[in-house]
């Protein structure tokens, strides 16, 4: 580690609270980022303008290229502070364009800094189509031999269509503050009622969708502290240690069987505490207070 990086590590930053541009600047090698389609070269969403909703020239996502540990990578960073990181036509087109360029240029990896509640409802079908195009582009990129690593630790998490997109990536890195699910807590409560899921119970929300739960369920490859440099180091380690095979039918069938078995094993459980106990964890109530290092050791015991 360089002196410069050591100095940066000594200053505590929160990935959860940072903007999209701050996150990517901390994760990539210093000064290596080159933005593609910067605000000066793109236009706000016409769909939002038609509804008299203020837009943003980058449409809530930054794309570009840079270096990670001196290796060329492409990067996508969603801005959760703009419309909840939601995906509309322009937002989606930028992501798909970068992924297609990755297939052409063959970087070492694509880093996807996910921070999104899902599709932008204001853009209706245009947003839904954008999500589906991102899904296909992720799989095409992986099929071309380029790993796509999702980093989830922002305030909006990864929900809706972006929850699916995240799970299509080669690997996922999460912090305890990160959340990953198909339906958000408010959506579940609206559809099924507060008796089914109380979205105001923040501890419950994190026990069901948060990074610690996802890590214990083996849904993500690494759990890190709420620190951009911890995310950076985890991404470096994954790319250095792991050989990412392109997706194939046999692997998908195996994963589907695992998920079906999981549905049977935890059927009827409504709280992470119940699931953790069913996994064989002796003191599930201690999980929320455990640090990442201790939880990593516990997860190893569960799956070895």
């Amino acid at each position: 580690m360089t002196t410069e990086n050591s100095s940066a590590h000594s200053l505590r930053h929160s990935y959860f609270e940072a903007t999209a541009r701050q996150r990517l600047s901390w994760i990539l090698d210093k000064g290596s980022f080159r933005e593609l389609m910067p605000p000066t070269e793109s236009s706000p969403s016409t769909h939002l303008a038609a509804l008299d909703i203020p837009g943003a020239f980058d449409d809530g996502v930054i794309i570009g290229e840079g270096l990670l540990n001196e290796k060329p990578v492409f990067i996508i960073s969603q801005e959760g502070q703009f419309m909840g990181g939601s995906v509309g036509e322009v937002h989606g087109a930028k992501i798909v364009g970068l992924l297609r360029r990755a297939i052409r240029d063959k970087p070492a990896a694509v880093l996807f800094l996910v921070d999104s509640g899902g599709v932008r409802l204001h853009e209706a079908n245009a947003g839904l189509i954008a999500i589906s195009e991102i899904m296909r582009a992720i799989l095409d990129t992986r099929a071309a031999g380029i790993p796509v690593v999702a980093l989830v630790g922002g305030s909006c998490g990864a929900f809706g269509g972006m929850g699916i997109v995240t799970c299509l990536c080669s690997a996922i890195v999460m912090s305890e503050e990160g959340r990953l699910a198909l339906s958000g807590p408010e959506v579940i409560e609206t559809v099924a009622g507060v008796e089914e899921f109380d979205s105001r119970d923040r501890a419950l929300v994190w026990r069901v969708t948060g990074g610690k739960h996802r890590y214990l369920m083996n849904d993500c490859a690494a759990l890190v502290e709420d620190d951009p440099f911890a995310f950076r180091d985890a991404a470096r380690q994954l790319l250095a240690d792991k050989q990412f095979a392109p997706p194939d039918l046999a692997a998908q069938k195996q994963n589907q069987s695992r998920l079906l078995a999981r549905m049977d094993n935890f059927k009827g459980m409504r709280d992470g505490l119940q699931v953790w106990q069913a996994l064989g964890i002796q003191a599930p109530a201690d999980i929320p207070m455990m640090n990442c290092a201790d939880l990593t050791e516990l997860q190893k015991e569960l799956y070895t």
Side-chain angles (χ1 to χ4, degrees):
M1 183 183 297
T2 65
T3 303
E4 181 177 43
N5 283 341
S6 297
S7 176
H9 261 297
S10 67
L11 299 174
R12 185 72 166 83
H13 298 288
S14 169
Y15 187 97
F16 183 85
E17 296 175 353
T19 66
R21 292 182 184 276
Q22 287 174 322
R23 289 171 187 157
L24 68 83
S25 72
W26 286 325
I27 286 171
L28 295 176
D29 294 356
K30 186 174 177 61
S32 70
F33 177 63
R34 184 174 79 89
E35 186 170 1
L36 304 173
M37 290 294 293
T40 55
E41 296 178 12
S42 57
S43 302
S45 167
T46 56
H47 300 278
L48 298 181
L51 296 171
D52 291 326
I53 298 174
F57 280 95
D58 61 16
D59 205 56
V61 64
I62 299 104
I63 60 171
E65 56 189 353
L67 300 176
L68 179 68
N69 208 23
E70 300 184 352
K71 294 180 180 179
V73 295
F74 283 5
I75 193 164
I76 303 160
S77 187
Q78 293 181 298
E79 180 52 79
Q81 297 179 34
F82 177 69
M83 303 192 74
S86 56
V87 178
E89 184 177 23
V90 174
H91 186 116
K94 290 176 69 175
I95 295 172
V96 171
L98 187 78
L99 291 167
R100 289 177 177 166
R101 181 165 177 157
I103 294 171
R104 184 195 73 184
D105 292 354
K106 307 293 185 186
V110 177
L111 303 181
F112 200 151
L113 282 56
V114 179
D115 194 9
S116 174
V119 68
R120 188 176 299 168
L121 299 179
H122 316 72
E123 300 197 18
N125 287 345
L128 291 170
I129 291 169
I131 289 280
S132 67
E133 290 178 339
I134 294 171
M135 292 177 188
R136 179 174 291 276
I138 290 277
L139 293 175
D140 287 345
T141 303
R142 292 183 58 194
I146 303 156
V148 183
V149 178
L151 311 182
V152 183
S155 59
C156 297
F159 287 103
M162 283 308 302
I164 301 174
V165 167
T166 300
C167 291
L168 290 176
C169 292
S170 308
I172 305 170
V173 178
M174 294 185 71
S175 64
E176 176 184 357
E177 290 76 10
R179 290 166 295 148
L180 171 62
L182 180 57
S183 297
E186 292 80 6
V187 174
I188 298 173
E189 182 181 306
T190 299
V191 173
V194 69
E195 298 83 6
E196 179 68 24
F197 198 87
D198 185 355
S199 65
R200 293 168 298 179
D201 187 343
R202 307 317 291 170
L204 173 64
V205 170
W206 258 269
R207 290 198 302 269
V208 172
T209 67
K212 283 183 174 178
H213 179 63
R214 291 300 174 204
Y215 188 61
L216 289 173
M217 296 298 287
N218 216 21
D219 292 331
C220 61
L223 181 74
V224 300
E225 300 290 350
D226 177 34
D227 183 334
F229 300 108
F231 275 96
R232 181 196 64 189
D233 293 345
R236 282 178 172 176
Q237 200 69 44
L238 276 172
L239 295 174
D241 293 348
K242 190 166 182 179
Q243 296 297 316
F244 293 99
D248 64 83
L249 184 59
Q252 296 308 311
K253 286 183 175 180
Q254 184 178 25
N255 194 43
Q256 180 69 10
S257 296
R258 179 182 69 85
L259 293 174
L260 288 172
R262 190 162 85 177
M263 285 179 61
D264 288 337
N265 292 339
F266 306 118
K267 187 175 182 179
M269 297 182 186
R270 299 186 176 187
D271 193 315
L273 290 169
Q274 296 171 299
V275 176
W276 302 336
Q277 187 171 34
L279 283 172
I281 296 172
Q282 298 301 312
D286 293 343
I287 296 297
M289 299 306 296
M290 291 180 69
N291 60 37
C292 286
D294 290 341
L295 201 73
T296 297
E297 289 304 312
L298 176 60
Q299 196 259 12
K300 287 178 181 177
E301 293 174 8
L302 292 176
Y303 293 100
T304 55

